[in-house]
Structures are given as structure tokens and as C-alpha cells.
Amino acid sequence: MSDTLLEVKNVKKYFKLKSGIFSRRRGWVKAVDDVSFSVKKGETFGLVGESGCGKSTVSRVILRLTQANSGQIIFDGEDILKLSNKEMREKRRLMQMVFQKPFESLNPRVTIGDIIGSPFEIHKAASRKEKKRKVQELLAYVGLEPRYINRYPHEFSGGQRQRIGIARAIALRPKLIICDEPISALDVSIQAQILNLLKDMQKDFGLSYIFISHNLSVVKYMSNRIAVMYMGKIVEIASKEELYKNNKHPYTKALLSAIPIPDIDIKKERILLKGDLPSPINPPEGCRFRTRCEYAMRICAQSYPALMDVGNNHFVACHLYHEAIKSG
Ligand code: SF4
């Protein structure tokens, strides 16, 4: 039996750019451009990159909250891009999301009992009495008092609201949870508690996670494998150990050089990227990183380097490695 839960194959998501009174198409924003990766059962797959690199769009495309232009998304053995809306609603029982801003994702006029219990109603998965019992069990599991069931979201702190969002996400025992910057809106003092709750859930329920963050220390703590994105493309994928010790892509090197080391005796040289992030409307031809890359060669402007296997399940999209292999 395959140990792969999710396969994203050559997925593209372009947004039309319109202008003028007739809303003429002016171009495309290539938010996700030919992205492929897979997630194993019980694995945490990290997605990192600067804001606007396309990592959140990838998650929305996987959940079909926005429609991909092309590609395949095989989840639990089925291409979900081919499912009808009704079939997709059923599939969503198994795919959930934990959001960055818990307050915005919780309806302020609804009690937390109804918020956490809503998946049972939508999917007709429990009677009213069972729903109450299950919600109380979920509250206890995520570290909240079951007697709070009739309270409203504004009566809770940021960390507690995130626990409510997490309780809702695991209500129907999903197989995959996409965590989109789940702690970046929380106080530092409670971030570790939420990360540890996510880790405990993974052990208890055998969950797979896609963990999206711009915080590389957090991604390192959470993930088994990590993909680095730049302007809608994956530029490097490797295991956590390989990526942090033996990173190859010049963009990954620059990103990782910015992580602070908690030891004043260790001096680390930070790689400062030159230039601004190019416009996604008109990205550079060839390698999209070439306008900021100190190793850029002529070929980098001529063709986009495909992701290639450099050994040890480590993939990198950079002509430096293509050229090195060609020259033996
Ligand atoms: Fe730099 Fe060229 Fe590699 Fe792109 S392909 S990262 S421009 S060396």
C-alpha cells in the first residue's frame, strides 16, 4: 500500500489581471507555476518563502477554495480536481485548515459549541446529543474547559481561539491539515504550546500536515521535509536535516542565513539579497531568482532550470547544478 497521502502534480494557478472600463485582460499573475510535491501519511511537509511567493495559494488550490488552472491533485488515491462540488464537500471532511488569524475565522455571533460542532452538522455526522458530547471531548482535548461550550469567541484569548480553530479542524478526524502560519498572530509565550498541541495531535491521530510559514526556525521544528518557494515556483525540496545542513539553492542559502543563532560566540555571515522582489506580473525570464542572484549566468536568463535530483532525495532548481553535472 502506498505511503503517499497527497500528490500535487504540475499545478498552475494564474490570476487574470484586468483593467479599464471593459475589464480587458492586461496579463497574468502566475501565483503558482508548475508546482509538484507529495506528502506522506503521518508526515509534516513544510512550505517556506517570502510573503507573496505563492505558498498560501498552493494551500487554497489543494482545498479547492480556488480553482487550479491545470495539473493534478491526487488525494487519498483520487484526483480531487475532477470531483464535482458535492463530491468535494465530502472529501473536505478529510482535509482541513488551521488559519493564521483565529479570530477572523470564527464567527463572533456563534457560540464555540456551535463553531466546533458545525462540521458534524454540515456532514450529518452526529445527533444533537452526540454533537454536544463530542464538542466537549474536543474542548478537553485541545486544553479548554468543556463548560465553556456556550461562550463566544470574544471571551477567549488569541491562543485559546487558535485552540478552538484546531478543535474544529480535527472534529471529523481528517487525514490532512493545512496549517497556514498558525502561530504568527499569537504571543510568543503561547506559540510553543500550540506547536506542541499540533505535534501531539499528529501522534494521536496519524495526521499529515502541510505547514506553511515564513519563520524558518518554526518550520525546522515542525517539518520532516521542506520545500522552498520563490515567485510561484519550488526551488528546493529536501529533508529537514539535508536542507539545513546541505542547502544548495542560492535563495535557500540567503533565507537560512537570516536565522538568528542563540549563541553570541558563533558569528554567522548573513547573505543580503540585492534588489527588490520582482513584480509577479512580469517575472524575469528564465530563472526567476536571477535578478537577485550573485551566481547568475547567461543560461539563467534563457531557460528555467527544472528541479533535479542531487541525491539523498534532495531536489534543486538551479543551473549551477545542471552545469556541474554536464561538465562531469
Ligand atoms: Fe542563480 Fe542561475 Fe541558479 Fe537561478 S539558476 S539561482 S540565477 S545560478
Side-chain angles (χ1 to χ4, degrees):
M1 215 168 80
S2 165
D3 67 344
T4 302
L5 177 67
L6 174 78
E7 262 187 288
V8 175
K9 293 185 180 173
N10 308 107
V11 165
K12 293 183 181 176
K13 177 64 197 173
Y14 295 176
F15 293 100
K16 267 184 205 153
L17 208 68
K18 293 179 176 174
S19 67
I21 49 170
F22 298 113
S23 291
R24 288 219 176 86
R25 181 161 54 77
R26 209 156 52 84
W28 298 94
V29 175
K30 297 180 177 179
V32 175
D33 198 7
D34 206 9
V35 160
S36 301
F37 63 88
S38 63
V39 181
K40 296 192 186 100
K41 291 173 185 161
E43 172 183 53
T44 299
F45 185 80
L47 258 184
V48 296
E50 291 162 289
S51 57
C53 69
K55 52 194 192 308
S56 291
T57 308
V58 169
S59 67
R60 294 180 62 78
V61 165
I62 292 170
L63 291 171
R64 271 190 47 186
L65 300 174
T66 182
Q67 203 64 32
N69 296 90
S70 62
Q72 285 183 302
I73 298 177
I74 317 287
F75 175 72
D76 213 18
E78 244 182 314
D79 186 351
I80 59 168
L81 296 184
K82 292 192 175 139
L83 298 182
S84 66
N85 288 343
K86 188 164 168 254
E87 290 166 330
M88 189 59 209
R89 264 197 301 279
E90 266 308 296
K91 217 33 149 189
R92 278 212 194 92
R93 291 173 70 133
L94 304 176
M95 314 167 87
Q96 293 290 323
M97 186 147 181
V98 172
F99 296 91
Q100 177 180 9
K101 293 185 179 155
F103 197 57
E104 286 177 12
S105 68
L106 305 176
N107 186 338
R109 287 187 291 276
V110 177
T111 65
I112 62 158
D114 283 339
I115 290 171
I116 298 170
S118 62
F120 297 115
E121 278 186 18
I122 293 166
H123 295 281
K124 299 186 178 52
S127 66
R128 182 183 283 250
K129 205 166 145 203
E130 275 174 337
K131 184 183 102 172
K132 185 173 177 194
R133 182 182 52 78
K134 286 181 183 225
V135 169
Q136 285 176 321
E137 281 172 9
L138 284 164
L139 282 170
Y141 181 81
V142 299
L144 294 172
E145 288 283 344
R147 66 191 159 89
Y148 293 165
I149 191 166
N150 291 320
R151 293 192 180 179
Y152 290 86
H154 72 267
E155 296 177 72
F156 295 89
S157 68
Q160 288 174 323
R161 284 182 208 139
Q162 194 54 296
R163 288 175 192 270
I164 295 165
I166 289 170
R168 178 178 56 188
I170 57 169
L172 296 175
R173 296 286 186 272
K175 294 186 177 183
L176 174 72
I177 296 186
I178 300 180
C179 304
D180 190 357
E181 303 272 8
I183 59 162
S184 59
L186 304 179
D187 288 344
V188 175
S189 57
I190 46 168
Q191 289 182 350
Q193 294 172 16
I194 297 295
L195 293 180
N196 290 334
L197 172 62
L198 291 170
K199 283 209 163 203
D200 288 345
M201 280 163 39
Q202 187 166 44
K203 259 190 249 141
D204 292 346
F205 306 125
L207 288 166
S208 301
Y209 290 132
I210 294 179
F211 195 91
I212 298 172
S213 182
H214 66 281
N215 183 330
L216 289 143
S217 305
V218 169
V219 171
K220 184 180 182 189
Y221 177 67
M222 291 299 291
S223 309
N224 303 103
R225 285 184 306 131
I226 298 170
V228 180
M229 281 191 80
Y230 184 80
M231 295 197 75
K233 296 267 194 193
I234 289 182
V235 297
E236 189 158 10
I237 305 182
S239 70
K240 159 172 76 178
E241 295 76 18
E242 179 76 8
L243 193 86
Y244 282 79
K245 282 205 193 102
N246 188 24
N247 44 76
K248 304 269 186 215
H249 197 281
Y251 177 61
T252 311
K253 286 183 187 295
L255 271 189
L256 294 184
S257 77
I259 302 179
I261 296 176
D263 184 339
I264 51 169
D265 294 328
I266 299 178
K267 293 245 182 303
K268 191 162 109 174
E269 200 180 324
R270 180 158 179 195
I271 303 169
L272 289 174
L273 291 177
K274 60 180 183 181
D276 293 328
L277 196 64
S279 162
I281 302 163
N282 193 14
E285 292 288 319
C287 173
R288 292 186 181 175
F289 186 60
R290 71 180 169 81
T291 53
R292 301 168 86 191
C293 179
E294 59 180 304
Y295 306 102
M297 307 167 275
R298 188 183 302 168
I299 189 171
C300 304
Q302 293 164 347
S303 69
Y304 186 80
L307 267 178
M308 70 178 266
D309 190 348
V310 289
N312 217 6
N313 273 328
H314 187 160
F315 297 83
V316 60
C318 173
H319 284 303
L320 285 175
Y321 302 94
H322 290 227
E323 292 299 300
I325 283 181
K326 263 193 252 162
S327 57

